[in-house]
Amino acid sequence: MAKRKVPSSTEAHAEEDSSSDSDTDMLDVDFEWFDPQPEVDFHGLKTLLRQLLDVDSQLVDISALADLILAQPLLGSTVKVDGNETDPYAFLSVINLQEHKEKPVVKSLIDYILRQASTNTALSPVADLLKTLDNTAVGLILTERLINIPSEVVPPMYRMLLEEITWAMEEKEPYDFSHYLIISKTYREVSSKLNDGEDRPQKKKKKEDSKQVFYFHPEDEILQRYAIAHGDYTYVKEEAEGQADAKRAFQDLGVKAQGHMILLEASQGEATVKALEDFLQPS
């Protein structure tokens, strides 16, 4: 049985057709929230984790990470539209970095986060905190959704996570976190190589890339208001040639993805989720 069910509308891009007056159609769907199910969610979860970590997913044992998430089925949620036996369209879960720090996949994640946090002074509090994991319980929040899945599915996942953490603590489970660290991603617009003429001088061909940061996850703007630290970092792995153009989706400029971290004090959890609900959920 679903944990929650909410009707919603989402956009679907229409095929090019001279008789079409619109680029998008609206589809009415019923989103359902479920507990993670090891028997059915493994492959769908791996797909979403690869999307979240982008090119740097090559540096993480995605199968082991998915197994760890699915090993705690009473914590976190998946979002589906065709019943529990289908692949998730979105997920959210939390991993206790202190509890699992000796597991190879978590150890590699901690090393990766420390290395990336050291590249941006705005993320110094993240690095400082992770160096004290022997005495600090940090919850690593991982969440992702497929393109065109509306952001309205996010607040219920965070709300249910807070409730589940409370219930787990009542049962003396190790989820009494001091902080939450959210791994996300943002992007910048870059000049498209598809529009560059190969015979043009390089000086004229090169356009200045935008410094403005855009969000794959609109909720990150709200989360940052309550954060003690947040910032971007460049991925370790290089994108394949033309990858920025492959992600540009209905715009002239290419899309250069980058990692993003948000560090929150656990005491701000309730206020943060309430702000998400006010901002993202339909009235």
Side-chain angles (χ1 to χ4, degrees):
M1 181 181 295
K3 296 159 75 171
R4 187 175 301 190
K5 184 173 181 177
V6 175
S8 183
S9 297
T10 187
E11 290 183 354
H13 290 284
E15 297 291 330
E16 261 189 56
D17 191 318
S18 58
S19 63
S20 176
D21 294 325
S22 174
D23 291 330
T24 61
D25 292 326
M26 297 302 296
L27 301 177
D28 291 325
V29 295
D30 290 335
F31 289 110
E32 296 180 285
W33 285 256
F34 293 92
D35 292 324
Q37 302 292 319
E39 298 81 6
V40 295
D41 291 336
F42 178 71
H43 294 291
L45 196 56
K46 284 177 61 177
T47 297
L48 291 169
L49 286 168
R50 287 194 189 99
Q51 179 178 304
L52 172 63
L53 298 175
D54 210 277
V55 290
D56 280 0
S57 64
Q58 303 169 60
L59 304 174
V60 178
D61 186 341
I62 295 296
S63 292
L65 185 55
D67 281 335
L68 181 57
I69 291 170
L70 293 170
Q72 42 185 37
L74 299 182
L75 205 63
S77 301
T78 60
V79 179
K80 304 182 180 184
V81 297
D82 294 314
N84 194 26
E85 299 302 313
T86 58
D87 285 340
Y89 283 32
F91 87 98
L92 183 146
S93 189
V94 63
I95 294 171
N96 187 332
L97 294 182
Q98 181 188 54
E99 180 77 8
H100 299 292
K101 65 180 185 294
E102 298 304 325
K103 287 185 170 63
V105 64
V106 175
K107 188 176 186 304
S108 69
L109 265 177
I110 293 170
D111 291 343
Y112 171 79
I113 293 168
L114 281 169
R115 176 170 53 172
Q116 299 309 90
S118 69
T119 66
N120 184 345
T121 55
L123 294 173
S124 295
V126 174
D128 293 342
L129 186 67
L130 292 191
K131 291 173 183 176
T132 67
L133 274 181
D134 287 341
N135 304 305
T136 308
V138 179
L140 177 66
I141 291 179
L142 301 172
T143 180
E144 184 58 293
R145 56 186 179 273
L146 297 180
I147 295 173
N148 287 348
I149 296 301
S151 54
E152 285 85 356
V153 305
V154 173
M157 289 196 292
Y158 274 101
R159 172 58 65 191
M160 286 184 281
L161 181 67
L162 287 187
E163 294 172 352
E164 289 158 355
I165 288 174
T166 298
W167 298 333
M169 288 169 55
E170 290 173 355
E171 297 297 323
K172 309 301 182 185
E173 296 289 337
Y175 297 110
D176 188 9
F177 298 118
S178 64
H179 297 79
Y180 296 114
L181 176 60
I182 301 167
I183 299 296
S184 189
K185 58 194 291 190
T186 59
Y187 68 91
R188 299 176 189 270
E189 292 180 333
V190 297
S191 55
S192 171
K193 294 185 178 181
L194 295 179
N195 297 329
D196 289 340
E198 294 298 327
D199 56 343
R200 295 168 60 188
Q202 184 68 22
K203 191 171 183 181
K204 292 183 179 179
K205 188 171 96 170
K206 180 75 173 175
K207 297 180 181 178
E208 184 178 355
D209 295 339
S210 170
K211 294 188 182 342
Q212 183 177 357
V213 174
F214 299 90
Y215 297 92
F216 285 109
H217 301 155
E219 63 270 20
D220 287 353
E221 291 189 78
I222 304 300
L223 294 169
Q224 288 174 181
R225 296 178 189 174
Y226 294 84
I228 58 175
H230 63 86
D232 300 308
Y233 58 90
T234 302
Y235 289 129
V236 175
K237 291 289 187 179
E238 291 289 335
E239 286 187 333
E241 184 71 22
Q243 191 69 20
D245 282 315
K247 296 177 180 177
R248 68 182 189 160
F250 308 106
Q251 60 185 24
D252 293 332
L253 295 173
V255 170
K256 179 72 172 177
Q258 57 193 6
H260 189 69
M261 299 184 204
I262 304 171
L263 181 63
L264 297 158
E265 291 182 337
S267 60
Q268 290 294 309
E270 177 61 36
T272 305
V273 172
K274 180 65 167 61
L276 286 177
E277 291 169 338
D278 291 342
F279 180 69
L280 292 175
Q281 286 192 302
S283 56

